[in-house]
């Protein structure tokens, strides 16, 4: 799966453990789906999932993994299309020039292949579902040969070893079941969603803008050849496309508005201790829904933090303050007993772990 800061891949077992313990949950919405990892895990549980995010690439993932039903997709045709796309002749264009020559995110031989495949997808795909599956395959293939630490604000000084590999399209792992893909502002969508049992909420939590951090995926999907700026070659609209969730002065109001707009019976929220809101803020806002319980989970930070901080020339420029952080899951709902029961095993596990961390060796 694609490298994505804030992906909840590592805490899927905890998320699913909570959802499975809540009775009568059939229809769920992942309002900030990103990679769609959480939405996929929910779909695998047999739930109907609405997968939403403002990013164009996330919508492509949602159409592929959530909206497409593996039972009805013509896999033979997709396999033939992928084989055809794999054979198209490399043809350097905007992508190669911008991201492989002006910047060094990909090696030019792969850039030329990406350019050619991206144009070919528009001519061979006969409907939106096919196009999204092919684009997903291209995004994942490009991610496997990039030369970054997982963010598109900078690229490595020396080519990453994986960037030498040839681009290889693979069949995405499609899931059986029904779902819906949306690309809406979560706060606007929240006002219209009225048939959802549980909403999963994982918004941006600090100043880092997803639109800027993943500008290349946005451009690859839109195929709109925008003007770019700076060493990172970001789309010019990165200057104006800002989420209120990225602003310390606005996040509280926008999160409060989201929570009060949702009519789902249960809200499951991810936040971590690197965000603008702290536990008390979140608990206070959620308390208007009803009863609130939360649990903390230790979490390895994103790969960039493990490797170090680099400037756009790939030079190491700073020290990473810490390698682990704490991810919190909050569950809010009107029924206190259900909320407590759903959270109990994880809270117990967390308190045992914390007790272990602070335990004192018995005197011998
Ligand atoms: C923390 S990430 C979600 C990660 C996701 N749970 C995963 O596991 O991949 C936050 C997401 O919110 C999206 N986003 C930012 N502002 C938004 C808004 N107003 N409405 C919907 N999505 C938004 C970003 O594009 C980003 O994908």
């Amino acid at each position: 799966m694609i490298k994505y800061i804030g992906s909840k891949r590592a805490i899927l077992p905890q998320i699913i453990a909570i959802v499975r313990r809540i009775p009568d949950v059939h229809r769920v919405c992942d309002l900030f789906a990103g990679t769609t990892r959480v939405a996929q895990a929910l779909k695998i549980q047999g739930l109907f999932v609405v997968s939403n995010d403002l990013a164009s690439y996330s919508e492509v993932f949602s159409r592929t993994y959530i909206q497409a039903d593996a039972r009805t997709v013509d896999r033979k045709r997709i396999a033939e299309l992928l084989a055809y796309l794999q054979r198209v002749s490399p043809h350097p264009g905007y992508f190669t020039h911008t991201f492989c020559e002006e910047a060094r995110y990909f090696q030019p031989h792969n850039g030329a292949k990406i350019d050619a495949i991206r144009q070919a997808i528009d001519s061979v795909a006969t409907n939106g579902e096919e196009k999204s599956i092919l684009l997903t395959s291209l995004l994942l293939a490009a991610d496997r040969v990039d030369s970054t630490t997982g963010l598109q604000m900078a690229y490595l000084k020396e080519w990453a070893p994986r960037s030498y590999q040839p681009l290889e399209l693979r069949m995405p792992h499609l899931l059986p079941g029904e779902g819906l893909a949306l690309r809406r502002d979560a706060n606007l969508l929240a006002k219209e969603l009225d048939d959802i049992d549980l909403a999963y909420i994982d918004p941006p939590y600090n100043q880092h803008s997803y639109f800027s951090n993943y500008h290349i995926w946005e451009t690859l999907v839109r195929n709109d050849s925008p003007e770019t700026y700076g060493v990172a070659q970001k789309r010019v609209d990165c200057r104006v496309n800002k989420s209120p969730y990225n602003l310390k002065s606005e996040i509280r109001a926008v999160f409060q508005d989201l929570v009060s707009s949702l009519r789902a019976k249960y809200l499951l929220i991810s936040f971590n201790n690197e965000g603008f809101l702290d536990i008390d803020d979140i608990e206070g806002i959620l308390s208007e829904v009803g009863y609130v319980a939360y649990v903390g989970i230790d979490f390895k930070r994103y790969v960039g933090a493990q490797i170090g901080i680099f400037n756009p020339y790939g030079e190491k420029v700073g020290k990473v303050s810490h390698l682990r952080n704490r991810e919190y899951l909050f569950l809010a709902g009107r029924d206190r007993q259900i909320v407590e029961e759903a959270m109990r095993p994880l809270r117990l596990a967390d308190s045992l772990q914390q007790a272990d961390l602070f335990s004192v060796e018995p005197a011998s």
Side-chain angles (χ1 to χ4, degrees), residues 4 6-8 32-35 53-54 184-186 202-204 210 243:
Y4 204 63
S7 158
K8 296 300 172 293
F32 301 85
T35 60
D53 196 289
L54 266 184
R184 300 278 312 277
D185 178 279
D202 183 20
Y210 279 85
S243 171

Side-chain angles (χ1 to χ4, degrees), residues 4-9 30-38 52-55 57-58 184-187 200 202-205 210-211 243-245:
Y4 204 63
I5 187 170
S7 158
K8 296 300 172 293
R9 185 178 58 84
D30 184 349
L31 282 156
F32 301 85
T35 60
T36 72
R37 285 307 293 253
V38 177
N52 175 70
D53 196 289
L54 266 184
Y57 52 84
S58 180
R184 300 278 312 277
D185 178 279
N187 285 61
Y200 175 65
D202 183 20
Y205 45 84
Y210 279 85
F211 191 73
S243 171
Y245 286 92

Side-chain angles (χ1 to χ4, degrees), residues 324-340:
R324 299 194 76 82
N325 60 0
R326 208 159 155 74
E327 193 71 42
Y328 290 94
L329 284 168
F330 293 77
L331 180 64
R334 279 185 287 274
D335 190 318
R336 177 180 184 146
Q337 205 185 341
I338 291 178
V339 170
E340 272 181 354

